[in-house]
Amino acid sequence: MSTIRETLLPSGLKIVTDPMDTVETVSLGVWVEAGTRFEPAAINGVSHLLEHMAFKGTERRSAQAIAEEMDAVGGHLNAYTARDHTAYYAKVLKEDADLALDVIADILQHSVMDAEELGREQAVVVQEINQAVDTPDDIIFDHFQATAYPDQPLGRAVLGNEELVRAMTRDTVLDYMRGHYSARNMVLSASGRIDHDRLVGLAETAFSQLPPYAVPTIDVARYVGGDYREERDLEQVHVVVGFDGVAYDDPDYYTASVLSTLLGGGMSSRLFQEVREKRGLVYSIYSFASSYGDGGLFGVYAGTGEDEVAELIPVMCDEIVKVGDGVTESEVQRARAQLKASILMSLESTTSRCEQLARQVVVYGRPVPVSEVVAKVEAITAEDCARVARRLFATAPTFAAIGPLAKVECFDKVAARLKL
């Protein structure tokens, strides 16, 4: 029987808890519906910069005090920015949950955004941008995203770029925060040794200064696809090929996850076995299925040598296309087992449970019982996987490559290989 509980405060703040009586810790955090796709082009990267600045001092705490208070109880405080949300979360011993809640509420409502701190943090973010640019197996995904969703917020980089980040002022960050960090756009999630009613009482006071009515809008995702290539003097060529995917609420969402697993999600997957084990063309190759509220991407990444890429791309494309011709029941059974095990194993972590709850409430408006998820995964058949493969791979491809590109086929040839 599920012990998950939900409460909606009059302000619009949603609170959801998943108690675990067998642990001594609590993970809790706030997920804000504010990310890259909510940003105007002129301030791309502001969500990420704001996430950094939230830790740089409030009306009650300096940046050092925030760090010292959490370290003093052995807690962990962190945050991340994605394209469709920003998360602020902590993990502490059960007796320190009140402190964690207070710190998170403080940084989300009373950050001072000091101008000197902003200047320093802009320099830090620029270093982060430069680090990503210098990491080809990281930055390739930004280029892939931009090619799949050109000229729209969903295609822009989470980090922004140096020019835009350095141009942002204190008012830029504060105005964005006021326009997006409202109670109605937030979910407070907690898992572990936590009492729901007590957390609700604390949250009513702790988050009383949130603006309740800001309702930001976003552009609907428009998948386009296309070709991106960047010649670099590297030891490897980094390649991503992909297609229009499925949204979170799409009936084929879980089938796409199973399909990704059997295609390139483990050591027994088709891509790993054919490309790495049989041919030795790569060290790293995998598939992925990412989703948003109104779309998604399905793709394959591989890194290989300058000479090997001439063989890799035809083989990789061939394996992608062959999935549409059909898969075996044993392949689907293994993929279902991997996905089911991943879901159930994540339940042993308070942090995973906390994040899953928050994302479910943001995406579906409700917690989704584990039994419901597992039942959907177990119901997927080989015919379902082949059907979804044909659906996905019939869309226009997106291709991105970075490295020595002399032996990389032209886009038209790659696209022709991917036709079903």
Side-chain angles (χ1 to χ4, degrees):
M1 180 178 178
S2 175
T3 57
I4 294 173
R5 293 182 61 188
E6 301 173 77
T7 295
L8 178 65
L9 297 185
S11 66
L13 178 66
K14 296 173 281 290
I15 303 173
V16 58
T17 60
D18 185 4
M20 299 172 66
D21 294 336
T22 58
V23 300
E24 297 298 315
T25 61
V26 172
S27 292
L28 62 85
V30 171
W31 274 253
V32 189
E33 290 187 77
T36 313
R37 68 178 309 183
F38 294 85
E39 301 168 350
I43 55 172
N44 174 217
V46 68
S47 299
H48 177 252
L49 181 60
L50 168 53
E51 174 227 309
H52 276 242
M53 286 303 298
F55 294 87
K56 296 306 173 182
T58 71
E59 296 165 9
R60 292 194 287 130
R61 295 176 170 96
S62 66
Q64 184 174 344
I66 293 171
E68 288 179 348
E69 283 191 54
M70 293 302 295
D71 284 351
V73 298
H76 302 284
L77 179 65
N78 211 336
Y80 67 86
T81 306
R83 287 186 165 83
D84 53 3
H85 69 278
T86 306
Y88 301 83
Y89 57 96
K91 182 166 185 173
V92 293
L93 297 176
K94 64 180 188 296
E95 57 266 27
D96 300 312
D98 294 10
L99 171 65
L101 180 71
D102 185 66
V103 169
I104 291 174
D106 194 20
I107 67 176
L108 293 183
Q109 296 171 107
H110 306 296
S111 290
V112 294
M113 302 293 171
D114 178 78
E116 289 188 13
E117 287 282 6
L118 176 60
R120 283 191 289 270
E121 208 57 31
Q122 284 168 314
V124 170
V125 171
V126 167
Q127 292 299 322
E128 188 176 356
I129 292 169
N130 292 336
Q131 179 176 300
V133 171
D134 285 347
T135 311
D137 57 342
D138 181 357
I139 200 67
I140 185 71
F141 287 95
D142 276 353
H143 295 306
F144 173 76
Q145 186 88 16
T147 306
Y149 296 108
D151 303 317
Q152 54 188 298
L154 193 56
R156 297 182 191 127
V158 171
L159 302 182
N161 63 53
E162 179 175 355
E163 181 182 1
L164 293 178
V165 169
R166 288 198 185 279
M168 292 178 197
T169 65
R170 178 176 183 269
D171 285 343
T172 303
V173 180
L174 282 173
D175 288 347
Y176 181 82
M177 189 174 195
R178 295 188 190 106
H180 294 78
Y181 279 47
S182 73
R184 290 177 59 182
N185 297 331
M186 293 184 177
V187 174
L188 169 60
S189 178
S191 182
R193 188 70 73 90
I194 192 80
D195 180 83
H196 180 85
D197 293 327
R198 188 168 188 278
L199 180 67
V200 169
L202 291 169
E204 283 188 283
T205 302
F207 290 95
S208 61
Q209 302 301 308
L210 286 174
Y213 298 119
V215 184
T217 59
I218 59 173
D219 292 341
V220 175
R222 292 175 287 104
Y223 176 86
V224 177
D227 185 46
Y228 175 88
R229 291 158 192 252
E230 181 180 334
E231 182 76 30
R232 281 203 203 179
D233 184 15
L234 301 173
E235 293 298 319
Q236 282 201 312
V237 184
H238 300 268
V239 175
V240 180
V241 59
F243 308 86
D244 194 9
V246 298
Y248 282 117
D249 62 354
D250 192 291
D252 288 330
Y253 172 75
Y254 290 105
T255 305
S257 296
V258 170
L259 176 64
S260 176
T261 301
L262 71 84
L263 177 62
M267 293 178 65
S268 67
S269 68
R270 289 192 176 193
L271 287 169
F272 192 93
Q273 284 296 313
E274 183 65 31
V275 179
R276 174 171 163 161
E277 296 297 280
K278 292 182 182 179
R279 298 174 184 260
L281 293 174
V282 301
Y283 171 73
S284 179
I285 187 167
Y286 57 85
S287 57
F288 58 90
S290 58
S291 295
Y292 307 102
D294 55 353
L297 293 168
F298 187 101
V300 173
Y301 162 84
T304 191
E306 180 179 5
D307 293 330
E308 288 82 359
V309 72
E311 182 182 355
L312 167 69
I313 290 177
V315 173
M316 188 167 68
C317 292
D318 189 45
E319 289 302 315
I320 290 171
V321 170
K322 283 196 295 187
V323 174
D325 294 332
V327 298
T328 67
E329 190 57 46
S330 61
E331 285 181 297
V332 176
Q333 186 175 356
R334 285 197 302 271
R336 287 196 308 254
Q338 286 178 261
L339 197 55
K340 178 180 174 182
S342 176
I343 293 167
L344 296 179
M345 287 178 185
S346 70
L347 298 179
E348 298 178 2
S349 163
T350 60
T351 301
S352 293
R353 289 172 80 141
C354 174
E355 178 162 17
Q356 283 179 28
L357 269 183
R359 292 302 305 272
Q360 288 169 356
V361 173
V362 168
V363 171
Y364 303 111
R366 67 180 179 94
V368 181
V370 174
S371 59
E372 180 180 328
V373 175
V374 170
K376 288 181 177 180
V377 171
E378 290 183 333
I380 293 166
T381 66
E383 290 75 16
D384 292 329
C385 288
R387 173 184 57 78
V388 171
R390 290 190 294 271
R391 169 191 167 180
L392 299 178
F393 305 154
T395 64
T398 301
F399 183 83
I402 294 177
L405 305 180
K407 298 183 179 180
V408 177
E409 293 180 343
C410 68
F411 178 68
D412 288 345
K413 197 164 186 179
V414 174
R417 291 186 183 279
L418 292 168
K419 287 185 177 178
L420 298 178

